[in-house]
Amino acid sequence: MTDTTMQATLPQNVFVSLNLAQVTTVQTQAGLRYRVRLPGEAAVPQVPDNVIAIHQGKALHLRYGDGSEMIFEDFYTVCTKANQCSVNLPADNPDGIDLTAESSDGGVYADQGLLVYAHGNHDTLMAMALGQGPLASALAALGDASVLTYLPPQSHLLAFALLAGVGAAAAIASTSTNANTDTTPPTTTTQQALNTISAYAEANTASAPAVPVGIAPTAQTYLDAGVSGVGNHLSSINDALATAAITGASVDTTGEVQALVNAFNAILASADGVDNVANANNPTQAQYRLIGVTGVDSAAKASLLGDVIDLKNIADVDTVLEIQAIADAVAAVLGLPSGGTPPTLTQLQDLGLTGVTVDKLPAVITAIGATNPDGTGVDTQAELQTIINNAIAKADAALNAISTYAQANAASAPAVPTGIAPTAQTYLDAGVTGVGSHLSSINDALATAAVTGTSVDTTTEVQDLVNAYSAILASADGVDNVANAYNPPQAQYGLIGVTGVDSAAKTSLLGDVIDRKVY
């Protein structure tokens, strides 16, 4: 579309021509009653229907079914009843309906603004609203009549409709329940600002980096709403609005918006990169909830999350998505002792913890899982780091013991092994699972010439050996299973120190024989 600006001074009760499939901009002037017409020189001007009127900033946007648009600039600062300024649109009566800056918008979001009025063919209007949830819902609620007319609840438009010649019954039928009087005070600047904030929250359900829907509130919007403290945190505050947890109803009063701003400011203030004393400045559970972060539902979680954020910089936590990722990591750590899903390596790193590697992760997970389920032993970053450091030190010592035992022995039983054999606890300290009742078999595998110290000096290598022997022992159930389905592969025999299994045929026959054995 192109933008054509109307510059001519228009007389009262004038027509402004719509440029088809283009955007036409009109600089609104006081004392004028505007009517939109289709282009042409017809003696009786044709007025386009299928229109959706949207309050967007200071402008009134008229969107038409053919893709045309007319923008009345500064409409909401100029076009008041006192200025005798209005825009006349088609309605359910020949005289149409007059909109002014005092016309209610009702809080329904509509393509970067708030819905003021709509009139036209049902199918055309629904097509125009396609993909715009609140707008589509508002129009769908009008029913399946062939012609739809939308007026916001308790709309001042009713008075103008009546003045334009609509019968009371027809006007009331076109509005929502309780919209049959004109007793509602004109929308104040504060209420308009709150409507903008509330509509933006309702229209968006994902924190950055999702692309927000609609025009975000500005610093002035918050000031107009009576909210202070936004400052240079505007993008963070708007990001909080754009979360699933913050709905329009969550921020439709000055007090609610102020509480959200205060909460985010407290969180950002704590992110100073310095470890403050005893969590004195930690945000509360309620403050995380106010900005749309979920899952911070215990004192231990709030403590650990606050302690981690305390060591971050503002740029690390200036979106809800960033804070939520840390909160999820906290929840994974504190839920582990109760059987929850273990935290990932990335999550532990997000908590600012050091020393954890892929190989050491199993030992760290085991150590965290052994802490108190109430979280009191890991509710600060320092406590958690200490547990991790101890777990890594234990894992290093355990792996050294396993590796040393393997290196010292070069023959499987019945040779007498040299050195102290690893215990079940040694394997646990190394972060290895699944040894169970197979301890002697696992140690016997270490005592072979094929398994040297360097074969088992990492947690991953030892775990692979344990898994291999466990698979072989599991197949030795004394039952001829079908088609060697449970035969261990060649690699697993090599991992436990068995040599010479170097073809598929050997693997198949060996597996079939072991399958009939009992371990």
Side-chain angles (χ1 to χ4, degrees):
M1 293 184 180
T2 60
D3 190 334
T4 304
T5 303
M6 302 287 297
Q7 296 181 347
T9 300
L10 302 177
Q12 190 169 0
N13 293 318
V14 297
F15 285 94
V16 287
S17 293
L18 187 69
N19 293 290
L20 297 181
Q22 296 183 15
V23 176
T24 304
T25 303
V26 178
Q27 183 57 53
T28 309
Q29 299 180 42
L32 302 178
R33 182 173 183 259
Y34 296 98
R35 296 193 73 189
V36 181
R37 61 170 292 170
L38 292 173
E41 301 298 329
V44 179
Q46 293 180 286
V47 178
D49 203 345
N50 300 321
V51 59
I52 295 177
I54 299 170
H55 176 180
Q56 185 172 322
K58 296 179 181 179
L60 176 68
H61 288 236
L62 303 181
R63 308 275 169 80
Y64 289 90
D66 67 348
S68 305
E69 182 173 352
M70 182 164 284
I71 301 174
F72 288 88
E73 296 284 6
D74 298 317
F75 178 86
Y76 283 93
T77 57
V78 174
C79 244
T80 63
K81 287 187 289 185
N83 283 339
Q84 298 182 353
C85 177
S86 65
V87 171
N88 181 268
L89 295 176
D92 296 331
N93 69 95
D95 295 321
I97 186 170
D98 288 304
L99 307 185
T100 76
E102 296 166 36
S103 302
S104 172
D105 51 45
V108 174
Y109 185 80
D111 191 15
Q112 303 184 21
L114 297 172
L115 179 60
V116 175
Y117 178 72
H119 185 273
N121 175 269
H122 173 282
D123 293 341
T124 302
L125 292 182
M126 294 307 298
M128 293 170 68
L130 190 65
Q132 302 176 54
L135 173 59
S137 297
L139 297 181
L142 299 176
D144 295 322
S146 59
V147 176
L148 299 181
T149 303
Y150 173 85
L151 291 176
Q154 299 186 6
S155 174
H156 291 285
L157 295 175
L158 178 62
F160 305 126
L162 293 173
L163 290 173
V166 179
I172 293 171
S174 297
T175 61
S176 301
T177 304
N178 298 325
N180 57 346
T181 66
D182 191 31
T183 59
T184 306
T187 303
T188 64
T189 299
T190 298
Q191 188 60 55
Q192 287 178 345
L194 288 171
N195 287 346
T196 298
I197 294 168
S198 177
Y200 186 78
E202 186 67 27
N204 291 278
T205 58
S207 172
V211 177
V213 176
I215 295 178
T218 64
Q220 187 61 50
T221 306
Y222 288 99
L223 289 175
D224 289 346
V227 175
S228 61
V230 172
N232 59 359
H233 298 157
L234 175 63
S235 62
S236 296
I237 303 304
N238 285 344
D239 183 69
L241 296 183
T243 61
I246 306 300
T247 64
S250 305
V251 286
D252 58 0
T253 70
T254 298
E256 290 170 335
V257 180
Q258 187 67 64
L260 184 152
V261 171
N262 293 346
F264 219 144
N265 283 344
I267 293 167
L268 293 174
S270 72
D272 55 5
V274 178
D275 188 11
N276 297 314
V277 178
N279 301 327
N281 299 314
N282 276 359
T284 65
Q285 297 177 52
Q287 286 177 318
Y288 292 112
R289 184 170 61 252
L290 281 169
I291 71 166
V293 174
T294 60
V296 187
D297 51 12
S298 72
K301 289 180 181 178
S303 174
L304 180 56
L305 178 56
D307 206 37
V308 170
I309 289 177
D310 184 33
L311 295 169
K312 301 282 188 182
N313 295 311
I314 287 179
D316 300 321
V317 292
D318 58 356
T319 70
V320 175
L321 192 66
E322 291 168 331
I323 299 172
Q324 187 66 62
I326 302 172
D328 291 344
V330 165
V333 167
L334 295 178
L336 186 57
S338 299
T341 301
T344 65
L345 176 59
T346 298
Q347 286 181 314
L348 293 176
Q349 291 170 340
D350 284 346
L351 296 181
L353 301 166
T354 59
V356 188
T357 63
V358 172
D359 192 60
K360 294 299 190 296
L361 182 59
V364 169
I365 294 300
T366 298
I368 295 174
T371 61
N372 196 324
D374 66 8
T376 52
V378 289
D379 58 355
T380 70
Q381 205 249 19
E383 289 174 336
L384 189 53
Q385 186 66 64
T386 296
I387 287 173
I388 287 173
N389 292 344
N390 291 339
I392 291 173
K394 275 188 176 182
D396 287 340
L399 287 169
N400 184 61
I402 294 168
S403 177
T404 299
Y405 185 78
Q407 188 63 35
N409 293 278
S412 180
V416 177
T418 300
I420 299 174
T423 65
Q425 188 62 48
T426 306
Y427 287 100
L428 288 174
D429 289 345
V432 175
T433 60
V435 172
S437 60
H438 301 155
L439 176 62
S440 61
S441 297
I442 304 303
N443 285 344
D444 182 68
L446 297 182
T448 62
V451 180
T452 65
T454 57
S455 303
V456 286
D457 58 358
T458 70
T459 298
T460 301
E461 290 170 335
V462 179
Q463 187 67 65
D464 286 345
L465 184 152
V466 171
N467 292 346
Y469 217 145
S470 295
I472 293 168
L473 293 174
S475 71
D477 57 3
V479 178
D480 185 12
N481 296 315
V482 177
N484 300 325
Y486 301 99
N487 280 357
Q490 291 175 238
Q492 289 187 317
Y493 292 111
L495 284 169
I496 70 169
V498 175
T499 60
V501 186
D502 52 12
S503 71
K506 290 179 182 178
T507 303
S508 176
L509 179 56
L510 179 57
D512 206 34
V513 171
I514 289 176
D515 186 31
R516 290 175 167 84
K517 301 290 186 180
V518 177
Y519 76 84

